[in-house]
Structures are given as C-alpha cells and as structure tokens.
C-alpha cells in the first residue's frame, strides 16, 4: 500500500474513533471540537494538499482528495477540507501556511486597495465556514491571494442546515504581502471540495439505506424484497454513481491545467448538487419516520448534503456559468464543446 | 459501495486524433441530412453510408485482422460510435452487427460462421437484426417459446419473434430460442442462439409493424417449421442464456443510451441563442453537465469492456440514467420554446421536437426496460 493510501486509512480510523455520536452531538450543539481538531492536525492532514516544496509532505493529490471525500463520508464537523484547500492556495502563492484552521474565500465583493507597500481589504464576507473558529482567512481576489490572521469581526453568526458555523464577517484588514493565485478561483476550489464531500456523503447514505431496508421488516419480509423499494434504491445508486464519477472529474480538473478546469468543475458541481437532493430525498423516504428523528444519524448526512450543494456557488450560479459557455459554443458547436469540456 | 464506482476513463491520444478524421468524413458524407433526418438517431438506414464507414476501417474496429477487423482499441471504436451518433449519421445498416452480433460471433461462433460473416460486417455490407423478443416473452426473455428441433437435415424452427428492428432489410438475424427443456428450477436452461440467413430461410416470413411515429422499423418474424443448417448453431447448445447476457453488456452502456435526443438539444440551443433567458442558460447548463458526466460513465464502461471485465451492473446504471436524461429533453425544450411539434414543419425545431416526442417512449423499453434495469441495479447493490 502506498504511503498516501495508508494515510487515508489512518485518517479514516481516527475520524471513525474520535467522531462518535457524542462528538457529533457536541459539534452540532455549537462546540468547537478542539481535541479532535488537534488529533487531525497532529497527523498533518491540514497540509495534505500542499506541494512538497511549499511545506507539504508529498501526499499524491489523489490521496489528498480521498481525504476530502472522507470528510464528506463522515460529515466531519470540522473544517479539515477547507483548511486543506486554503493551505494549498497559500502554498501555491508562496505564502506561509496556516497554523490553525483556515478557510478560503472569494474576495470578489471586498474592496482591496493598495496602501503603503501593502494592501487594505475591507467589506463583508458572507457565510464563511467556521468563521468564529478559524485562525486564518485566505482571500482570493483578482488573481491575488491574501493571508489574514486578524482584521475581521463576526457581523452575523449563522449556521448551515447541518448546524455547522457559517458566519458573516466584517473585514477591515491590512496585508503586507500577497501571492499569485494558482489559476483557480476560490469558488472553483471550494466547489471541488464540496463536490467530493457530496460524493463521499452519498456513498454513506447509500450504505445506510441499503442496510436499513435489508433489516427492517414489514408485512412479514424485509423492505428490500419490495420492488418499489428496490427501484428507489436503484435510482439512489445511479445518482451516487454519477456523483462519484463527477467528483473524480473535479479532481482531475483541479490537478490538471487550470485553463481547462472551469468547465469540468462546473459540470461536476452541477451534477453532484442535483444528485445530493435526489438521493437525500430517496434515503429519507426509505428510512421512514425513524430517519426523520434527531436520533438517527441519517440526518447528519442529509443536512450536510442540503447545505454543501448550495455553498461556494449555488446551483443557479454554476448552471448559469456552464449554460453561458454552452451558448457561446452555440448549437452548431455544441457537441464539439461537450467533447472538449471534459 | 465500491461496486458502483466507475474508474476514471483513460486518456487515449490516438482516439482524439481519430475524432478529427471522423468529423471531417461526416461533414462531407452526411452534409445533405436535414435536422429531422439527423434526429432519427441510430434508426437511419443507408447501405452506402455503412459501406463508406467500412471502407474507412471504422467497422469491426477491434476485431482481428483475419476477420476483416482492424485490431484497434475499444476507445477508438468509442470515438467513432459517438461521433457518428452525435452527428445524426444513418448508422443502422451496420449498427447491430458492429455493436453486438459481430462480437457475439467472434466470441462464440464457429470458424465457418466467423469467416463467412465477419468480413462483410467490417466492410459495412452485412446487416443484422436481433431475434430475442416474442409476443409472450419480452422482459422475461427466458419464457421464449420459439423452438428449434435438431433433425438430420438441420434445425427446424417454429415460433414468432416480434419488434425485430429492420428484419425486413437485414441479411442475418441472431435468434435466441428454446432448443431443449427448461425446468422450474432453471428456466434459463435449454436455450440456444442461431445464425439465421434472412435471405434464404424457407418457412420464415417477415411482416411489418408500424410504430407510434408512423415509421416502419419493427417487424414480426414468423418461423413455420423453418429449416436452417446444423451449422447455424452459435456457441454451445443449451448455453444461449449465458451468451445472450454477455451480448447485453455491449448493448447497454454505449453512447447511444444518452444521445438519442441530442439533435433536439442542438435545435433548442439554435432556437434560443442570441436572446437566451436566465432560465434557458440554467436549463442548458444543467443538460450539458448531465451529458458530460454520462459520457464519462459510459467511457469508463468501455474501459471495463476493453479489460475483459463484466460490467453488466455499470452498463445498467448508464442505460437507466441515460434514458432518463434523453427523455427529459423534450419536456425541457417545451418549457423554453413555444412551438407546436409537427413532423412536416419547415421549422427544424418543430420537426425535430415532433420526432423526439414521438420516439422518446421507446428509449426506456428497447434493450431492457427501465424496470428490468432497476432490478439489475438493485441486485447489484445486494438487495433481492
Ligand atoms: C424501439 C424498439 C426496438 C426494439 N427492437 C427489438 C429488436 O430488434 N429485437 C428484439 O428482440 N426486441 C426488440 N425490442 C423489444 C424490447 O426488447 C422489448 O420491448 C422489451 O424487452 C420489453 O418487452 P415487452 O415489450 O414485451 O414488455 P413487457 O415485458 O411485457 O413489459 C411491459 C411493462 O411491464 C414491465 N415489467 C415487465 N416485467 C416486469 C417485472 N418483472 N417487474 C416490473 N416490471 C415489469 C416492463 O418494464 C414494462 O414497463 C424493441 C423495442 C423497442 C421499443
């Protein structure tokens, strides 16, 4: 087994052990899981996507992205994926890596002005993942990357449907140095991690649902013997397969030439966003009322799916982007466009 | 849930070079086809076109050279297939033969069958049809009642096949029927496949069935004590079921399972471009995303076939997702453009919309119905 695959396995074990039901409940009640974060950071996971020459430890990108997928599979209530991608951006920009949890945001709505040999960033950043808990904010703005360790305040505390912090920040920060972005926008990098997390969570949702309908007996037989149930599960399986392949495509795009990444990332994000909704609906239906309780872990995954599909650009944003590109190719160029996109 | 993971499709540079050759060929070869013609998808039938494809070496591409093949990769074949379908080329005269009948003969046929038939397929002159369905045996293929009885002069066949697409213009059929007895414990036992010469089989008659769209594609093929040579048996007597299941994996995962309505997407974009609304951009962006992902899934299955694996679960997933996608297109088009569908319309959009609306119901029937595919997927997921 490769080192990377071993790392993924070790991370899976660690997350499985540490993020038990009790930890999940604490996180969902608003607690920052400090000890669990330290354990993950202790394994070096926040650096897994950083290039070796920028302070990473040589994890192959496929393995690093397998870790991101894992955070989805476990609905990990910590910003590991966010920190991985934020550190990736810092490393590529030649900036020092984050010491604590970090989040990458799109700075398009911020005002960035030159100020004696540096920059000033000001404005509002909406719904920043774990805004209240992070140590570093990485802002991508007009091809530049800024690393902020201070200079923001919480303007409005919020959560997503999975009860994870999504805080609106008022930013007024001074930055001495900036790096050059890796060619991908913050939304694109964020979309790639959400796509992988959706794919990971969907695999878990499918397992839970197959397990449930195989055990639950009604009318004297397991639910899995009813054809209507089988067909819904087959549909769920199709969505999970499509989302999984879309996520792999997003990884290829992230790793490959940034100039060719926009379309496959958009397509992957659109397809997984749709799969998230369809699949969550089927899984909730087949679990019956028990799945609708706070007791049942299914909702950790479905509420995460319902949140992730709207973060780092919603369904409208991405379909509009890909639709605009398709119309630019036009009817006559449609097929060529499709074959060249991904 | 590793069983439904689709491996990353490999990149094949040669295949991409070939794509440009195929596009250039098609641009010239089918320049006269109207949008309505192109929306026929794989039902367009033109022997001249198929011969031209054969002459370019684009049929039987993966087969050994000694049978007229070209020993190229499955990915190169994939490119040829998707390019011809996307362009709306009239492929039927080689379609079934190149896709499944030829591969079946290559795998199970006798040397004589291979030598007589395969070179003609590769040249684009030999056309095949599929004799599986019967009036009382559709989804339940093992319920076949057509029977072949071995005699000294040959096999005597009696029974009726139905929905046999292009039986009336085919040179051969691969017939699936009963050649022995089954038992309640093994309903699939006692079945075999035969190579039927559609031009010279006494006792066989072909009658047209007109489809919902007013076209003659289907037929009923009746065998009345029809005599075929002993050498017509394909593979092993009694192993018909296993053989036919292998054939279905080739039949279910290709680009034809999600490209049936591509001409309508093209006409839809043409009808909207220049003044597209937000809703149009969102809808087209979504369709493009689906198509990109379906292509990826399908190319992944092609890689599995090339590696000699059995992707029947993956193929069922591609076909089910693909048919759902294809069938959604006319409904989406209607929400974006106000137009009355009419095959005789001078508007390309209206004519193509009509043809697609009329043909769409068949896409989740042919090649295994949606319900049957979902049963296969459920079994693959460990249910049942
Ligand atoms: C355009 C087209 C071309 C075709 N070309 C050919 C051809 O060339 N050669 C050939 O042999 N056949 C051909 N077919 C036939 C095709 O393979 C059959 O239509 C198909 O297998 C279904 O069989 P059936 O029509 O008898 O429907 P049935 O099997 O009678 O099914 C009717 C309905 O009941 C459902 N159903 C059946 N069994 C079950 C079950 N166990 N559980 C749940 N639902 C079930 C089906 O899904 C379907 O919705 C073609 C069909 C079409 C539409």
């Amino acid at each position: 087994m490769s080192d990377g695959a071993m790392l993924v396995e070790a991370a899976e074990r660690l997350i499985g052990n540490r993020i038990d039901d009790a930890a999940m409940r604490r996180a969902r009640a608003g607690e920052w899981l400090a000890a669990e974060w330290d354990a993950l950071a202790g394994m070096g996971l926040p650096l897994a996507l950083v290039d070796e020459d920028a302070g990473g430890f040589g994890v192959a990108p496929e393995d690093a992205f397998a870790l991101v997928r894992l955070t989805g599979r476990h609905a990990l209530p910590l910003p590991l994926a966010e920190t991985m991608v934020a550190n990736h951006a810092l490393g590529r920009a030649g900036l020092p890596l984050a010491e604590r949890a970090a989040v990458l945001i799109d700075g398009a709505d911020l005002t960035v002005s030159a100020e004696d040999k540096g920059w000033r960033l000001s404005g509002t950043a909406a719904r920043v993942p774990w805004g209240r808990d992070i140590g570093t904010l990485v802002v991508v703005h007009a091809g530049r990357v800024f690393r902020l360790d201070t200079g923001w305040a919480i303007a409005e505390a919020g959560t997503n449907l999975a009860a994870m912090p999504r805080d609106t920040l008022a930013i007024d920060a001074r930055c001495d140095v900036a790096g050059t972005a890796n060619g991908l926008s913050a939304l694109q990098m964020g979309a790639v991690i959400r796509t992988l997390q959706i794919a990971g969570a969907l695999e878990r949702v499918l397992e839970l649902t197959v397990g449930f309908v195989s055990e639950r007996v009604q009318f004297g037989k397991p639910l899995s013997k009813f054809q209507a149930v089988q067909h819904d599960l087959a549909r769920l399986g199709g969505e999970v397969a499509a989302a999984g392949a879309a996520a792999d495509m997003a990884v290829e795009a992230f790793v490959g030439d940034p100039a060719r990444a926009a379309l496959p990332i958009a397509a992957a994000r659109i397809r997984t966003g749709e799969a998230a909704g369809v699949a969550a609906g089927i899984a909730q239906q087949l679990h019956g009322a028990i799945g609708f309780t706070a007791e049942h872990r299914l909702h950790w995954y479905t509420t995460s799916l319902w949140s992730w599909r709207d973060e780092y650009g919603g369904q409208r944003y991405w379909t509009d982007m890909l639709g605009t590109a398709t119309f630019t190719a036009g009817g006559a160029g449609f097929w060529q466009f499709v074959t060249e996109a991904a | 849930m590793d069983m439904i993971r689709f491996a990353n499709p490999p990149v094949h540079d040669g295949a991409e070079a070939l794509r440009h050759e195929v596009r250039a060929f098609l641009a010239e070869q089918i320049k006269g086809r109207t949008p309505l013609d192109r929306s026929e998808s794989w039902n367009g039938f033109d022997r001249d076109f198929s011969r031209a494809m054969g002459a370019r070496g684009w049929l039987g591409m993966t087969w050994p050279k000694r049978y007229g093949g070209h020993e190229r990769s499955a990915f190169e074949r994939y490119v040829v297939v998707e390019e011809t379908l996307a362009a709306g080329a009239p492929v039927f005269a080689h379609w079934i033969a190149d896709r499944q009948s030829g591969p079946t003969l290559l795998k199970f046929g006798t040397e004589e069958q291979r030598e007589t038939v395969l070179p003609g397929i590769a040249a684009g002159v030999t056309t095949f049809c599929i004799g599986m369905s019967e009036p009382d045996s559709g989804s339940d293929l093992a319920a076949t009642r057509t029977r072949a009885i071995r005699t000294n002069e040959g096999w005597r066949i009696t029974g009726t096949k139905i929905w046999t697409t292009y039986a009336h213009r085919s040179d051969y059929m691969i017939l699936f029927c009963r050649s022995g007895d089954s038992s309640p414990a093994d309903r699939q036992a006692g079945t075999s496949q035969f190579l039927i010469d559609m031009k010279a089989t006494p006792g066989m008659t072909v009658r047209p069935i007109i489809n919902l769209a007013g076209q003659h594609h289907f037929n009923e093929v009746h065998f009345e004590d029809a005599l075929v040579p002993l050498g017509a048996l394909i593979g092993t007597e009694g192993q018909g079921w296993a053989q036919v299941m292998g054939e279905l994996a080739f039949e279910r995962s290709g680009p034809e399972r999600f490209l049936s309505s591509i001409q309508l997407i093209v006409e839809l974009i043409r009808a909207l471009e220049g003044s597209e609304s937000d809703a149009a951009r969102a809808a087209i962006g979504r369709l493009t995303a689906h198509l990109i992902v379906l292509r990826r899934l399908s190319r992944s299955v092609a890689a599995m076939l090339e590696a000699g694996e059995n992707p029947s679960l993956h193929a069922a997933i591609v076909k089910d997702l693909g048919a759902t996608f294809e069938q959604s297109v006319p409904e989406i088009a209607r929400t974006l453009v106000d137009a009355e569908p009419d095959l005789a319309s001078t508007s390309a959009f209206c004519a193509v919309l009509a043809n697609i609306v009329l043909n769409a119901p068949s896409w989740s029937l042919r090649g295994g119905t949606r319900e049957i595919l979902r049963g296969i997927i459920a079994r693959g997921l460990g249910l049942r």
Side-chain angles (χ1 to χ4, degrees), chain A residues 227 231, chain B residues 43 92 96 129-135 137-140 161-166 218 361-372:
Chain A
Q227 197 180 51
H231 286 192
Chain B
N43 283 313
F92 202 94
I96 300 293
C129 62
I130 306 169
M132 294 192 198
S133 306
E134 297 181 12
S137 164
S139 299
D140 184 10
K161 290 288 164 182
I162 196 167
W163 319 129
T164 325
T165 306
Y166 281 113
F218 285 151
S362 69
W363 302 336
S364 53
L365 297 172
R366 64 184 183 192
T369 69
R370 168 179 301 145
E371 288 73 19
I372 294 306

Side-chain angles (χ1 to χ4, degrees), chain B residues 63 96-108 118 250:
Chain B
W63 308 348
I96 300 293
D98 176 69
R99 179 180 73 181
Q100 66 194 86
S101 317
T104 294
L105 290 172
L106 197 57
K107 196 154 174 208
F108 301 111
L118 294 181
F250 286 100

